[in-house]
Amino acid sequence: MPDLTFDKLHEECGVFAIYGHPEAANLAYLGLYALQHRGQESAGIASSDGRKIHCIRKMGHVADIFTPDALNQLPGELAIGHTRYSTTGDTVILNAQPLSVACNKGQIAVAHNGNITNAAELRSELEREGSIFQATSDTEVVLHLVARSRERTLSAALRDALLQLEGAFSLVFIAEDRIIVARDPHGFRPLAMGQLELSDGRTSYVFASETCAFDLISAAYIGEVAPGEMVIVGPEGVTRERYTPAKAPAQCVFEHVYFSRPDSLVFGRSVAQSREMMGRLLAREYPVEADVVVPVPDSGVSAAIGYAAESNIPYQQALIRNHYVGRTFIEPSQAIRDFGVKLKLNPVRHLLEGKRVILVDDSLVRGTTSRKIVRMVRQAGAREVHLRISCPPTISPCYYGVDTPSQNELIAARHSVEGIRQYVEADSLGYLSLESLHKAVDDKNQRFCYACYTGQYPTPLVQIEDLAYSKC
Ligand code: SF4
C-alpha cells in the first residue's frame, strides 16, 4: 500500500456546540462540515429534546454520516458535535465522539479537543474504584469523573472533574437542558463563542474550535472562552465563571502555522494574517533570486502569498491538489516512483519549466514528502528548487493534542538544516526563525506555546505511558 499520508502533523479534532436554536442538529452538522479539516476519521452529533439526549456517531466524513434521515433522528434545540482524527490502532467507533453517560446527574455527553495528559493515571484510579471503561479515549475519563463526583449539581460536578485534569482540553458538554463548555487553564486549544439572532427575537449561542464554523451559519463572533473558564448556557441564560485561575498562557502556535483554516479567527487573531506575515518574514530572512513562488497546497498558500508580496517575485499555483483522494488506494503492481504524493499533487509543467522556483510549505516533519515534492517540481522542468518553511524546525513531539511523530522520526531533531537540505534534494532550504514566528502571530505577551520548536514545554513533562491514550 502506498504511503498516502502527507509528511505533515495530523489534524486533530474539532468541536461545536449550539444552544437555543430550533434546528440545532442541522446547524451542528453545518458547523462540523466547516471543521472537517480538523479530523476526517469519525464524526458525531448529540442533541437534546429537553428530556433525552440523542446521539449519532460514526466513522467517516461529516457529509456522509449526517444524511437528512440521520439529522431527523436528532431533535431538540441544543446540540454538540465533534469531528475526529486519531492514530492507527485507535480508529474504533467506541472512541468516536460525543461520548455519553447516564448518571445521578442525569444524561450527559461530551466532545473534546486536546489531550488530557494525566488520563492514564486518572483511569487507573477510577478502575481501582470500580469504574468500567468502554473506550481508550482520554475523554471517557472526564465522564467518569463527573459521574463519580460527590457534588450534587451538574455544574459543580463538572468543576470538580475539570480541576482534576491536566493538559490540553477544550470541552463541550450537553445535558438535557443545557450546554456547558470549558477550556483548560493554559488555553492550549481554541474555543470561540458566537451568537445568532433568531427571527422570533431569541438569541442562540454557539461555540466552535474555529470561527469558520460561525460563518457558514451566519453567527456573529463574540470572543474566546477564556483559559480556565466555564460557560453555562441554560434556561436561566448565560453564566460565565472561572472554575480555576488561568495559568501561564500556552495557545498552540501550530493552530496558526498549520491546523486552522486561513478564513478563521483562532485565539482572536486572523490565521490568514499570521500566515501571510510568516511568509513575508521568511522572505526577509531567506531571500533568493528566483522566477516564481509556488505554494505547497493548501496550507502553504497564505505564506507563499506573503513571501511573493515581500520579495516581488510572481506567485503561481503550479502544484494542483486533488482533494478527493481516499485513505486507501491500490498501487499499480508496476512500481511508480513517488506514487502516493502524485495522487495528491500534480505539477503544472508550463509554469515550472526552466524556472528557478521557491517552494513554500508550512511544515517539514519527516522530510519524506518534501523530498518527493522537490523531485516532482524538478521533474516538471524547474531549473532550481529553493524550499522555504514558514515555521522553525520541528524538534520535539507535542503532548497537547497534536499528533506529532515521535522524536526520532522528526528529521530536524536528528539533522542540521544543511543535512535536511541534502535529504530533501533542494538547492537551498530556509526555515522561519522563532523570533519571526513570535512576530507573525503578534505574540508580545508570551501567550503562545512553541514547545515543538523549542522542546520547552509549558507544563511538567508527562509520563510516556500516558501517551498510549488516543487523544483528540
Ligand atoms: S507543542 Fe507545538 S503543537 Fe503542541 S501545543 Fe505546543 S505549539 Fe502546539
Side-chain angles (χ1 to χ4, degrees), residues 425-455:
E425 301 171 0
D427 292 290
S428 73
L429 171 63
Y431 284 92
L432 187 69
S433 69
L434 192 61
E435 197 193 344
S436 288
L437 182 56
H438 281 243
K439 278 192 201 144
V441 295
D442 193 27
D443 191 12
K444 294 191 193 83
N445 303 315
Q446 297 189 331
R447 291 167 299 131
F448 281 85
C449 171
Y450 301 91
C452 46
Y453 308 122
T454 62

PDB file of all heavy atoms in Angstrom, residues 425-455:
ATOM      1  N   GLU A 425      16.831  17.174  -1.158  1.00  0.00           N
ATOM      2  CA  GLU A 425      17.374  17.426  -2.506  1.00  0.00           C
ATOM      3  C   GLU A 425      17.007  18.809  -3.043  1.00  0.00           C
ATOM      4  O   GLU A 425      16.770  18.997  -4.241  1.00  0.00           O
ATOM      5  CB  GLU A 425      16.922  16.327  -3.497  1.00  0.00           C
ATOM      6  CG  GLU A 425      17.357  14.924  -3.063  1.00  0.00           C
ATOM      7  CD  GLU A 425      16.740  13.809  -3.909  1.00  0.00           C
ATOM      8  OE1 GLU A 425      15.983  14.116  -4.838  1.00  0.00           O
ATOM      9  OE2 GLU A 425      17.020  12.628  -3.619  1.00  0.00           O
ATOM     10  N   ALA A 426      16.937  19.804  -2.120  1.00  0.00           N
ATOM     11  CA  ALA A 426      16.637  21.179  -2.544  1.00  0.00           C
ATOM     12  C   ALA A 426      17.937  21.934  -2.791  1.00  0.00           C
ATOM     13  O   ALA A 426      18.978  21.590  -2.219  1.00  0.00           O
ATOM     14  CB  ALA A 426      15.810  21.889  -1.476  1.00  0.00           C
ATOM     15  N   ASP A 427      17.869  22.991  -3.619  1.00  0.00           N
ATOM     16  CA  ASP A 427      19.068  23.801  -3.848  1.00  0.00           C
ATOM     17  C   ASP A 427      19.377  24.670  -2.637  1.00  0.00           C
ATOM     18  O   ASP A 427      20.525  24.978  -2.366  1.00  0.00           O
ATOM     19  CB  ASP A 427      18.875  24.679  -5.095  1.00  0.00           C
ATOM     20  CG  ASP A 427      18.830  23.819  -6.342  1.00  0.00           C
ATOM     21  OD1 ASP A 427      19.869  23.267  -6.721  1.00  0.00           O
ATOM     22  OD2 ASP A 427      17.728  23.649  -6.900  1.00  0.00           O
ATOM     23  N   SER A 428      18.333  25.111  -1.930  1.00  0.00           N
ATOM     24  CA  SER A 428      18.544  25.790  -0.651  1.00  0.00           C
ATOM     25  C   SER A 428      17.327  25.531   0.224  1.00  0.00           C
ATOM     26  O   SER A 428      16.255  25.155  -0.282  1.00  0.00           O
ATOM     27  CB  SER A 428      18.768  27.296  -0.852  1.00  0.00           C
ATOM     28  OG  SER A 428      17.549  27.921  -1.203  1.00  0.00           O
ATOM     29  N   LEU A 429      17.515  25.717   1.508  1.00  0.00           N
ATOM     30  CA  LEU A 429      16.425  25.467   2.472  1.00  0.00           C
ATOM     31  C   LEU A 429      16.472  26.549   3.540  1.00  0.00           C
ATOM     32  O   LEU A 429      17.543  26.855   4.073  1.00  0.00           O
ATOM     33  CB  LEU A 429      16.611  24.079   3.119  1.00  0.00           C
ATOM     34  CG  LEU A 429      15.705  23.733   4.301  1.00  0.00           C
ATOM     35  CD1 LEU A 429      14.237  23.689   3.872  1.00  0.00           C
ATOM     36  CD2 LEU A 429      16.100  22.381   4.904  1.00  0.00           C
ATOM     37  N   GLY A 430      15.341  27.150   3.828  1.00  0.00           N
ATOM     38  CA  GLY A 430      15.284  28.156   4.902  1.00  0.00           C
ATOM     39  C   GLY A 430      14.029  27.972   5.735  1.00  0.00           C
ATOM     40  O   GLY A 430      12.936  27.774   5.192  1.00  0.00           O
ATOM     41  N   TYR A 431      14.220  27.982   7.057  1.00  0.00           N
ATOM     42  CA  TYR A 431      13.087  27.901   7.987  1.00  0.00           C
ATOM     43  C   TYR A 431      12.869  29.278   8.620  1.00  0.00           C
ATOM     44  O   TYR A 431      13.853  29.964   8.938  1.00  0.00           O
ATOM     45  CB  TYR A 431      13.430  26.980   9.147  1.00  0.00           C
ATOM     46  CG  TYR A 431      13.413  25.499   8.891  1.00  0.00           C
ATOM     47  CD1 TYR A 431      14.566  24.831   8.496  1.00  0.00           C
ATOM     48  CD2 TYR A 431      12.270  24.758   9.134  1.00  0.00           C
ATOM     49  CE1 TYR A 431      14.576  23.447   8.329  1.00  0.00           C
ATOM     50  CE2 TYR A 431      12.272  23.372   8.969  1.00  0.00           C
ATOM     51  CZ  TYR A 431      13.417  22.730   8.572  1.00  0.00           C
ATOM     52  OH  TYR A 431      13.422  21.368   8.423  1.00  0.00           O
ATOM     53  N   LEU A 432      11.640  29.609   8.899  1.00  0.00           N
ATOM     54  CA  LEU A 432      11.340  30.841   9.640  1.00  0.00           C
ATOM     55  C   LEU A 432      11.966  30.738  11.035  1.00  0.00           C
ATOM     56  O   LEU A 432      11.912  29.672  11.660  1.00  0.00           O
ATOM     57  CB  LEU A 432       9.816  31.009   9.768  1.00  0.00           C
ATOM     58  CG  LEU A 432       9.326  32.327  10.361  1.00  0.00           C
ATOM     59  CD1 LEU A 432       9.604  33.474   9.388  1.00  0.00           C
ATOM     60  CD2 LEU A 432       7.831  32.268  10.658  1.00  0.00           C
ATOM     61  N   SER A 433      12.540  31.834  11.518  1.00  0.00           N
ATOM     62  CA  SER A 433      13.136  31.786  12.861  1.00  0.00           C
ATOM     63  C   SER A 433      12.028  31.873  13.915  1.00  0.00           C
ATOM     64  O   SER A 433      10.916  32.350  13.646  1.00  0.00           O
ATOM     65  CB  SER A 433      14.103  32.954  13.050  1.00  0.00           C
ATOM     66  OG  SER A 433      13.365  34.156  13.101  1.00  0.00           O
ATOM     67  N   LEU A 434      12.373  31.441  15.119  1.00  0.00           N
ATOM     68  CA  LEU A 434      11.413  31.502  16.227  1.00  0.00           C
ATOM     69  C   LEU A 434      11.014  32.951  16.514  1.00  0.00           C
ATOM     70  O   LEU A 434       9.846  33.261  16.753  1.00  0.00           O
ATOM     71  CB  LEU A 434      12.067  30.867  17.469  1.00  0.00           C
ATOM     72  CG  LEU A 434      11.150  30.578  18.638  1.00  0.00           C
ATOM     73  CD1 LEU A 434      10.058  29.591  18.258  1.00  0.00           C
ATOM     74  CD2 LEU A 434      11.965  30.021  19.813  1.00  0.00           C
ATOM     75  N   GLU A 435      12.001  33.831  16.433  1.00  0.00           N
ATOM     76  CA  GLU A 435      11.738  35.256  16.690  1.00  0.00           C
ATOM     77  C   GLU A 435      10.706  35.800  15.692  1.00  0.00           C
ATOM     78  O   GLU A 435       9.776  36.519  16.061  1.00  0.00           O
ATOM     79  CB  GLU A 435      13.065  36.001  16.547  1.00  0.00           C
ATOM     80  CG  GLU A 435      13.076  37.363  17.160  1.00  0.00           C
ATOM     81  CD  GLU A 435      14.304  38.142  16.706  1.00  0.00           C
ATOM     82  OE1 GLU A 435      15.265  37.531  16.176  1.00  0.00           O
ATOM     83  OE2 GLU A 435      14.269  39.369  16.875  1.00  0.00           O
ATOM     84  N   SER A 436      10.853  35.415  14.439  1.00  0.00           N
ATOM     85  CA  SER A 436       9.897  35.881  13.431  1.00  0.00           C
ATOM     86  C   SER A 436       8.529  35.242  13.619  1.00  0.00           C
ATOM     87  O   SER A 436       7.502  35.867  13.343  1.00  0.00           O
ATOM     88  CB  SER A 436      10.424  35.590  12.024  1.00  0.00           C
ATOM     89  OG  SER A 436      11.480  36.461  11.734  1.00  0.00           O
ATOM     90  N   LEU A 437       8.506  33.992  14.069  1.00  0.00           N
ATOM     91  CA  LEU A 437       7.211  33.356  14.326  1.00  0.00           C
ATOM     92  C   LEU A 437       6.460  34.124  15.431  1.00  0.00           C
ATOM     93  O   LEU A 437       5.258  34.362  15.327  1.00  0.00           O
ATOM     94  CB  LEU A 437       7.411  31.883  14.721  1.00  0.00           C
ATOM     95  CG  LEU A 437       6.138  31.077  14.970  1.00  0.00           C
ATOM     96  CD1 LEU A 437       5.193  31.101  13.777  1.00  0.00           C
ATOM     97  CD2 LEU A 437       6.473  29.619  15.322  1.00  0.00           C
ATOM     98  N   HIS A 438       7.195  34.540  16.470  1.00  0.00           N
ATOM     99  CA  HIS A 438       6.596  35.371  17.527  1.00  0.00           C
ATOM    100  C   HIS A 438       5.959  36.608  16.909  1.00  0.00           C
ATOM    101  O   HIS A 438       4.829  36.966  17.218  1.00  0.00           O
ATOM    102  CB  HIS A 438       7.676  35.865  18.500  1.00  0.00           C
ATOM    103  CG  HIS A 438       8.118  34.857  19.504  1.00  0.00           C
ATOM    104  ND1 HIS A 438       7.951  35.015  20.857  1.00  0.00           N
ATOM    105  CD2 HIS A 438       8.743  33.681  19.357  1.00  0.00           C
ATOM    106  CE1 HIS A 438       8.455  33.974  21.488  1.00  0.00           C
ATOM    107  NE2 HIS A 438       8.948  33.143  20.594  1.00  0.00           N
ATOM    108  N   LYS A 439       6.715  37.245  16.010  1.00  0.00           N
ATOM    109  CA  LYS A 439       6.207  38.477  15.380  1.00  0.00           C
ATOM    110  C   LYS A 439       4.994  38.185  14.507  1.00  0.00           C
ATOM    111  O   LYS A 439       4.031  38.946  14.496  1.00  0.00           O
ATOM    112  CB  LYS A 439       7.298  39.081  14.480  1.00  0.00           C
ATOM    113  CG  LYS A 439       8.304  39.905  15.224  1.00  0.00           C
ATOM    114  CD  LYS A 439       9.148  40.677  14.229  1.00  0.00           C
ATOM    115  CE  LYS A 439      10.456  41.065  14.910  1.00  0.00           C
ATOM    116  NZ  LYS A 439      11.597  41.025  14.018  1.00  0.00           N
ATOM    117  N   ALA A 440       5.050  37.079  13.777  1.00  0.00           N
ATOM    118  CA  ALA A 440       3.977  36.777  12.822  1.00  0.00           C
ATOM    119  C   ALA A 440       2.634  36.568  13.522  1.00  0.00           C
ATOM    120  O   ALA A 440       1.588  36.881  12.964  1.00  0.00           O
ATOM    121  CB  ALA A 440       4.342  35.544  12.000  1.00  0.00           C
ATOM    122  N   VAL A 441       2.670  36.027  14.745  1.00  0.00           N
ATOM    123  CA  VAL A 441       1.400  35.826  15.467  1.00  0.00           C
ATOM    124  C   VAL A 441       1.164  36.946  16.481  1.00  0.00           C
ATOM    125  O   VAL A 441       0.268  36.862  17.316  1.00  0.00           O
ATOM    126  CB  VAL A 441       1.331  34.429  16.154  1.00  0.00           C
ATOM    127  CG1 VAL A 441       1.320  33.319  15.125  1.00  0.00           C
ATOM    128  CG2 VAL A 441       2.477  34.223  17.155  1.00  0.00           C
ATOM    129  N   ASP A 442       2.012  37.972  16.396  1.00  0.00           N
ATOM    130  CA  ASP A 442       1.884  39.157  17.253  1.00  0.00           C
ATOM    131  C   ASP A 442       1.906  38.775  18.739  1.00  0.00           C
ATOM    132  O   ASP A 442       1.073  39.219  19.515  1.00  0.00           O
ATOM    133  CB  ASP A 442       0.573  39.897  16.906  1.00  0.00           C
ATOM    134  CG  ASP A 442       0.553  41.292  17.522  1.00  0.00           C
ATOM    135  OD1 ASP A 442       1.639  41.855  17.741  1.00  0.00           O
ATOM    136  OD2 ASP A 442      -0.561  41.800  17.803  1.00  0.00           O
ATOM    137  N   ASP A 443       2.870  37.935  19.096  1.00  0.00           N
ATOM    138  CA  ASP A 443       2.926  37.426  20.468  1.00  0.00           C
ATOM    139  C   ASP A 443       3.822  38.306  21.344  1.00  0.00           C
ATOM    140  O   ASP A 443       4.934  37.919  21.708  1.00  0.00           O
ATOM    141  CB  ASP A 443       3.449  35.980  20.464  1.00  0.00           C
ATOM    142  CG  ASP A 443       3.268  35.324  21.817  1.00  0.00           C
ATOM    143  OD1 ASP A 443       2.543  35.894  22.659  1.00  0.00           O
ATOM    144  OD2 ASP A 443       3.837  34.244  22.036  1.00  0.00           O
ATOM    145  N   LYS A 444       3.264  39.478  21.703  1.00  0.00           N
ATOM    146  CA  LYS A 444       4.071  40.395  22.517  1.00  0.00           C
ATOM    147  C   LYS A 444       4.092  39.968  23.982  1.00  0.00           C
ATOM    148  O   LYS A 444       4.989  40.303  24.723  1.00  0.00           O
ATOM    149  CB  LYS A 444       3.505  41.806  22.417  1.00  0.00           C
ATOM    150  CG  LYS A 444       3.640  42.395  21.026  1.00  0.00           C
ATOM    151  CD  LYS A 444       3.317  43.882  21.045  1.00  0.00           C
ATOM    152  CE  LYS A 444       3.148  44.407  19.637  1.00  0.00           C
ATOM    153  NZ  LYS A 444       1.801  44.170  19.089  1.00  0.00           N
ATOM    154  N   ASN A 445       3.051  39.250  24.386  1.00  0.00           N
ATOM    155  CA  ASN A 445       2.930  38.935  25.822  1.00  0.00           C
ATOM    156  C   ASN A 445       3.120  37.462  26.138  1.00  0.00           C
ATOM    157  O   ASN A 445       2.590  36.962  27.126  1.00  0.00           O
ATOM    158  CB  ASN A 445       1.550  39.389  26.326  1.00  0.00           C
ATOM    159  CG  ASN A 445       1.331  40.851  26.065  1.00  0.00           C
ATOM    160  OD1 ASN A 445       2.230  41.658  26.323  1.00  0.00           O
ATOM    161  ND2 ASN A 445       0.176  41.204  25.530  1.00  0.00           N
ATOM    162  N   GLN A 446       3.860  36.761  25.297  1.00  0.00           N
ATOM    163  CA  GLN A 446       4.154  35.346  25.525  1.00  0.00           C
ATOM    164  C   GLN A 446       2.903  34.533  25.801  1.00  0.00           C
ATOM    165  O   GLN A 446       2.774  33.885  26.837  1.00  0.00           O
ATOM    166  CB  GLN A 446       5.144  35.207  26.675  1.00  0.00           C
ATOM    167  CG  GLN A 446       6.453  35.868  26.334  1.00  0.00           C
ATOM    168  CD  GLN A 446       7.534  35.579  27.345  1.00  0.00           C
ATOM    169  OE1 GLN A 446       7.248  35.367  28.511  1.00  0.00           O
ATOM    170  NE2 GLN A 446       8.753  35.577  26.897  1.00  0.00           N
ATOM    171  N   ARG A 447       1.972  34.578  24.871  1.00  0.00           N
ATOM    172  CA  ARG A 447       0.703  33.878  25.053  1.00  0.00           C
ATOM    173  C   ARG A 447       0.708  32.505  24.380  1.00  0.00           C
ATOM    174  O   ARG A 447      -0.214  31.732  24.526  1.00  0.00           O
ATOM    175  CB  ARG A 447      -0.450  34.702  24.457  1.00  0.00           C
ATOM    176  CG  ARG A 447      -0.746  35.990  25.217  1.00  0.00           C
ATOM    177  CD  ARG A 447      -1.650  36.891  24.401  1.00  0.00           C
ATOM    178  NE  ARG A 447      -1.008  37.243  23.154  1.00  0.00           N
ATOM    179  CZ  ARG A 447      -1.581  37.153  21.953  1.00  0.00           C
ATOM    180  NH1 ARG A 447      -2.795  36.720  21.829  1.00  0.00           N
ATOM    181  NH2 ARG A 447      -0.921  37.488  20.862  1.00  0.00           N
ATOM    182  N   PHE A 448       1.734  32.229  23.577  1.00  0.00           N
ATOM    183  CA  PHE A 448       1.706  31.003  22.771  1.00  0.00           C
ATOM    184  C   PHE A 448       2.647  29.922  23.298  1.00  0.00           C
ATOM    185  O   PHE A 448       3.652  30.211  23.945  1.00  0.00           O
ATOM    186  CB  PHE A 448       2.086  31.322  21.323  1.00  0.00           C
ATOM    187  CG  PHE A 448       0.962  31.930  20.522  1.00  0.00           C
ATOM    188  CD1 PHE A 448       0.719  33.296  20.570  1.00  0.00           C
ATOM    189  CD2 PHE A 448       0.139  31.128  19.744  1.00  0.00           C
ATOM    190  CE1 PHE A 448      -0.330  33.857  19.842  1.00  0.00           C
ATOM    191  CE2 PHE A 448      -0.906  31.681  19.008  1.00  0.00           C
ATOM    192  CZ  PHE A 448      -1.138  33.040  19.055  1.00  0.00           C
ATOM    193  N   CYS A 449       2.298  28.672  22.956  1.00  0.00           N
ATOM    194  CA  CYS A 449       3.179  27.529  23.176  1.00  0.00           C
ATOM    195  C   CYS A 449       3.998  27.316  21.905  1.00  0.00           C
ATOM    196  O   CYS A 449       3.441  27.326  20.801  1.00  0.00           O
ATOM    197  CB  CYS A 449       2.331  26.284  23.455  1.00  0.00           C
ATOM    198  SG  CYS A 449       3.298  24.751  23.488  1.00  0.00           S
ATOM    199  N   TYR A 450       5.314  27.134  22.055  1.00  0.00           N
ATOM    200  CA  TYR A 450       6.201  26.868  20.907  1.00  0.00           C
ATOM    201  C   TYR A 450       6.988  25.575  21.139  1.00  0.00           C
ATOM    202  O   TYR A 450       8.042  25.382  20.546  1.00  0.00           O
ATOM    203  CB  TYR A 450       7.207  28.020  20.738  1.00  0.00           C
ATOM    204  CG  TYR A 450       6.591  29.380  20.505  1.00  0.00           C
ATOM    205  CD1 TYR A 450       6.301  30.224  21.569  1.00  0.00           C
ATOM    206  CD2 TYR A 450       6.301  29.825  19.218  1.00  0.00           C
ATOM    207  CE1 TYR A 450       5.742  31.479  21.367  1.00  0.00           C
ATOM    208  CE2 TYR A 450       5.747  31.078  18.999  1.00  0.00           C
ATOM    209  CZ  TYR A 450       5.470  31.898  20.074  1.00  0.00           C
ATOM    210  OH  TYR A 450       4.911  33.128  19.870  1.00  0.00           O
ATOM    211  N   ALA A 451       6.490  24.730  22.041  1.00  0.00           N
ATOM    212  CA  ALA A 451       7.313  23.617  22.532  1.00  0.00           C
ATOM    213  C   ALA A 451       7.796  22.673  21.433  1.00  0.00           C
ATOM    214  O   ALA A 451       8.877  22.093  21.550  1.00  0.00           O
ATOM    215  CB  ALA A 451       6.541  22.827  23.586  1.00  0.00           C
ATOM    216  N   CYS A 452       7.029  22.513  20.350  1.00  0.00           N
ATOM    217  CA  CYS A 452       7.512  21.583  19.314  1.00  0.00           C
ATOM    218  C   CYS A 452       8.711  22.164  18.562  1.00  0.00           C
ATOM    219  O   CYS A 452       9.414  21.436  17.875  1.00  0.00           O
ATOM    220  CB  CYS A 452       6.397  21.144  18.373  1.00  0.00           C
ATOM    221  SG  CYS A 452       5.363  22.451  17.786  1.00  0.00           S
ATOM    222  N   TYR A 453       8.969  23.460  18.721  1.00  0.00           N
ATOM    223  CA  TYR A 453      10.144  24.070  18.096  1.00  0.00           C
ATOM    224  C   TYR A 453      11.285  24.314  19.089  1.00  0.00           C
ATOM    225  O   TYR A 453      12.404  24.592  18.692  1.00  0.00           O
ATOM    226  CB  TYR A 453       9.773  25.417  17.462  1.00  0.00           C
ATOM    227  CG  TYR A 453       8.584  25.323  16.542  1.00  0.00           C
ATOM    228  CD1 TYR A 453       7.446  26.083  16.765  1.00  0.00           C
ATOM    229  CD2 TYR A 453       8.596  24.454  15.451  1.00  0.00           C
ATOM    230  CE1 TYR A 453       6.348  25.991  15.926  1.00  0.00           C
ATOM    231  CE2 TYR A 453       7.503  24.353  14.611  1.00  0.00           C
ATOM    232  CZ  TYR A 453       6.384  25.120  14.853  1.00  0.00           C
ATOM    233  OH  TYR A 453       5.299  25.013  14.023  1.00  0.00           O
ATOM    234  N   THR A 454      10.961  24.286  20.374  1.00  0.00           N
ATOM    235  CA  THR A 454      11.981  24.630  21.380  1.00  0.00           C
ATOM    236  C   THR A 454      12.275  23.473  22.332  1.00  0.00           C
ATOM    237  O   THR A 454      13.315  23.466  22.981  1.00  0.00           O
ATOM    238  CB  THR A 454      11.492  25.807  22.260  1.00  0.00           C
ATOM    239  OG1 THR A 454      10.298  25.383  22.943  1.00  0.00           O
ATOM    240  CG2 THR A 454      11.183  27.039  21.418  1.00  0.00           C
ATOM    241  N   GLY A 455      11.345  22.540  22.473  1.00  0.00           N
ATOM    242  CA  GLY A 455      11.492  21.467  23.457  1.00  0.00           C
ATOM    243  C   GLY A 455      11.209  21.958  24.879  1.00  0.00           C
ATOM    244  O   GLY A 455      11.351  21.202  25.831  1.00  0.00           O
TER     245      GLY A 455
END
